[in-house]
Amino acid sequence: ALVMCPNPFYQIYEGAAYLSGAQPYFVNSDANRNFAPDYSNVPENVWARVKLLYLCSPGNPTGAVLTLDDWKELFALSDRYGFIIAADECYSEIYFKPEAPLGSLEAAHRLGRDGYPRLITFSSLSKRSNVPGMRSGFVAGDASILKKFLLYRTYHGAAMSPSVQSASIAAWNDETHVAENRAKYITKFQQVTPLLQEVLDVSLPDAGFYLWAKVDKCTTLSDVDFAKCLYAEYNVTVLPGSYLARDAHGINPGQQRIRMALVAEVDECLEAAHRIVKFVHGLQNQ
């Protein structure tokens, strides 16, 4: 069996595939479409073996958001080959446009897919409320799948303490802090992105809190060496893009890119951006 994963991706999808006894199959993202996965070149014999397809929208690390047409294509493939779509939507409430990103359940509803066949979606307080340590989330979608998932979760899951449950309830029921959190991210991206654009190939993502920057225009260093030197010389941590992807179909789509998480306060993010600019200028003057 195959578990289809976007590439680049959040590595837990790959680990989940191996833990289930399946093999991951990586679908490279299309840089011309803000790194949304490109399923057009997947062979028929591969689709026939796919049991589960992981998708992240807004994407980690790219921030790409799927359109209604993208979802329509995926639902048609799921109908044809019978695989389950697992939609990771943990970044759905961090966005920069007036309207929220289109989610999988909303897309299914718009397309008249009553009961959300073979579709489940995951969400979490981690990004929405900046509380990753609480491990509070939910899964929703196809009731027949959720019935089995509940049985699995009963035997393999860990229960929250009452205090964490109470804090989770408070966070899920409050939208004010979510709007304030989103406004902070908008401020950070508005101030940091133009600074970094002076030295890196980077642009505002559709959503999420990452900048996905290309570094090969400013240096001959690999993305790994870029990250190492930046940390050693300026004490700024970024993640090499090649660590967030796998070699697939002849390329590693994360190569020569870095992921920057704008999760600190505004002043700290600005300080990091200024240090990155100095670091790149230093590379160019060598």
Side-chain angles (χ1 to χ4, degrees):
L2 295 178
V3 171
M4 191 166 282
C5 307
N7 194 32
F9 66 107
Y10 175 44
Q11 292 100 327
I12 201 69
Y13 310 148
E14 179 185 47
Y18 286 129
L19 284 170
S20 72
Q23 289 290 320
Y25 181 92
F26 299 105
V27 176
N28 291 338
S29 299
D30 184 355
N32 295 319
R33 294 182 59 240
N34 198 20
F35 275 84
D38 180 7
Y39 299 102
S40 62
N41 295 317
V42 178
E44 178 96 9
N45 64 332
V46 169
W47 283 121
R49 296 171 55 200
V50 175
K51 301 299 181 185
L52 179 72
L53 181 147
Y54 278 112
L55 195 63
C56 188
S57 177
N60 173 7
T62 67
V65 173
L66 267 64
T67 66
L68 188 62
D69 286 341
D70 293 328
W71 284 115
K72 186 176 181 179
E73 175 192 6
L74 278 172
F75 293 149
L77 289 166
S78 174
D79 289 344
R80 180 175 179 181
Y81 296 103
F83 59 80
I84 294 168
I85 298 172
D88 177 355
E89 299 183 358
C90 292
Y91 299 90
S92 63
E93 296 187 67
I94 302 172
Y95 51 91
F96 314 108
K97 299 177 181 178
E99 69 279 2
L102 176 66
S104 57
L105 298 181
E106 182 183 357
H109 177 71
R110 287 194 196 178
L111 294 168
R113 296 178 64 81
D114 296 335
Y116 312 110
R118 294 177 305 283
L119 173 64
I120 54 173
T121 183
F122 296 88
S123 189
S124 167
L125 281 178
S126 296
K127 288 23 177 203
R128 174 188 191 271
S129 301
N130 281 339
V131 287
M134 290 179 67
R135 316 313 296 163
S136 178
F138 70 83
V139 56
D142 187 324
S144 63
I145 296 173
L146 292 182
K147 184 177 180 180
K148 296 177 181 178
F149 181 78
L150 177 60
L151 181 63
Y152 169 84
R153 189 74 177 77
T154 300
Y155 285 95
H156 292 272
M160 288 182 181
S161 69
S163 58
V164 173
Q165 290 185 43
S166 296
S168 297
I169 292 169
W172 282 117
N173 284 332
D174 179 65
E175 292 298 320
T176 301
H177 78 284
V178 181
E180 292 172 350
N181 189 36
R182 184 161 52 243
K184 272 191 174 183
Y185 277 114
I186 291 172
T187 298
K188 285 186 277 191
F189 274 86
Q190 286 176 339
Q191 295 186 31
V192 167
T193 307
L195 279 174
L196 294 176
Q197 284 175 331
E198 295 176 15
V199 294
L200 299 175
D201 183 358
V202 64
S203 58
L204 186 72
D206 290 339
F209 56 55
Y210 300 115
L211 283 173
W212 183 237
K214 200 165 178 61
V215 301
D216 59 352
K217 291 184 178 180
C218 66
T219 179
T220 58
L221 292 175
S222 69
D223 54 293
V224 175
D225 288 337
F226 184 99
K228 285 182 177 179
C229 292
L230 176 62
Y231 177 73
E233 297 176 23
Y234 283 88
N235 201 31
V236 175
T237 303
V238 299
L239 191 62
S242 57
Y243 285 10
L244 288 157
R246 295 290 180 266
D247 295 334
H249 319 296
I251 64 168
N252 182 315
Q255 200 164 24
Q256 295 306 102
R257 289 185 175 269
I258 55 170
R259 190 192 75 178
M260 294 171 279
L262 272 63
V263 294
E265 294 297 329
V266 176
D267 289 346
E268 190 173 344
C269 288
L270 277 171
E271 173 64 24
H274 284 296
R275 293 188 189 189
I276 292 170
V277 171
K278 290 180 182 178
F279 172 68
V280 174
H281 282 321
L283 292 175
Q284 294 170 337
N285 293 330
Q286 288 179 359

